[in-house]
Amino acid sequence: MLKVFIIATNLFAMSVSAYALPENKIDSGKVYAQEKPIILLGRGVTEGQQAPDFKVVNDAFVPVKLSDFQGKAIVISVVPSLDTGICSLQTKYFNEQVAKTFSNIEMLTISADLPFAQKRFCKQENIDKVVTLSDSVWRNFGENYGLYIKDMGLLSRAVFILNKDHKIVYKQLVENLATEPDYSQVVVKLKTL
């Protein structure tokens, strides 16, 4: 019963906080769902800037911040929901292909899924090289990176590469939510780190 209350409280808090977020002007008009533009909420980021810190939780509801990965280059794969086919493919690709080739780079997948769902997904799909993190509690990642989809409570699909100093050296905001990222561009950039 306590878990149900916590989940309901979090969902209510998410819906209230979504209306307080500003529109992401940096990425306005760049993302579509079923050929219709979607509105992204939050501040938005650009290549070349210092990556904003964020606070998310792991599958045990333990807070995790970007600053916890000091001195490590990072790939942040952002998906709307791990329970969908394209998001699953994206996460598996980074787990099976990219993490194997670039073992010195930290691989994170962030979604608005609850940690319980993320944990179940990772177990079912043998995701063991990518760290899945949830933005469902504070919505801090979506706000700081401008990725919350208005009226959906989900994150927009994107890939970021941060160097060891956590400067954003690559940003791919996937234009069509129903498609996978261009992995070849990600791999090319990773080879330069």
Side-chain angles (χ1 to χ4, degrees), residues 40-173:
L40 298 179
L41 302 177
R43 287 187 271 286
V45 296
T46 59
E47 283 185 20
Q49 82 171 70
Q50 194 66 33
D53 203 1
F54 55 80
K55 186 177 176 183
V56 291
V57 292
N58 65 17
D59 64 6
F61 276 93
V62 173
V64 176
K65 296 180 180 180
L66 175 60
S67 55
D68 294 336
F69 301 97
Q70 270 189 323
K72 294 182 180 179
I74 302 172
V75 170
I76 303 174
S77 170
V78 186
V79 298
S81 176
L82 291 170
D83 281 329
T84 63
I86 301 298
C87 299
S88 176
L89 290 172
Q90 181 176 334
T91 304
K92 289 178 191 178
Y93 181 84
F94 281 103
N95 186 70
E96 296 164 8
Q97 302 298 321
V98 180
K100 178 173 40 175
T101 306
F102 300 96
S103 58
N104 60 327
I105 297 174
E106 193 73 39
M107 300 283 168
L108 308 178
T109 289
I110 300 179
S111 73
D113 294 307
L114 291 172
F116 312 115
Q118 290 182 336
K119 188 174 186 175
R120 183 186 82 270
F121 170 81
C122 289
K123 184 176 180 181
Q124 287 175 342
E125 301 297 336
N126 297 314
I127 303 298
D128 58 355
K129 295 171 191 70
V130 170
V131 177
T132 56
L133 299 169
S134 173
D135 199 26
S136 65
V137 178
W138 300 286
R139 301 173 58 99
N140 187 248
F141 176 82
E143 178 181 356
N144 290 347
Y145 287 72
L147 294 176
Y148 262 103
I149 301 171
K150 184 177 181 179
D151 299 328
M152 291 182 75
L154 300 173
L155 295 170
S156 189
R157 189 178 314 284
V159 179
F160 299 94
I161 300 175
L162 313 182
N163 67 14
K164 291 181 180 181
D165 298 321
H166 293 172
K167 181 177 270 191
I168 300 171
V169 296
Y170 178 81
K171 172 185 174 181
Q172 183 182 149
L173 185 63

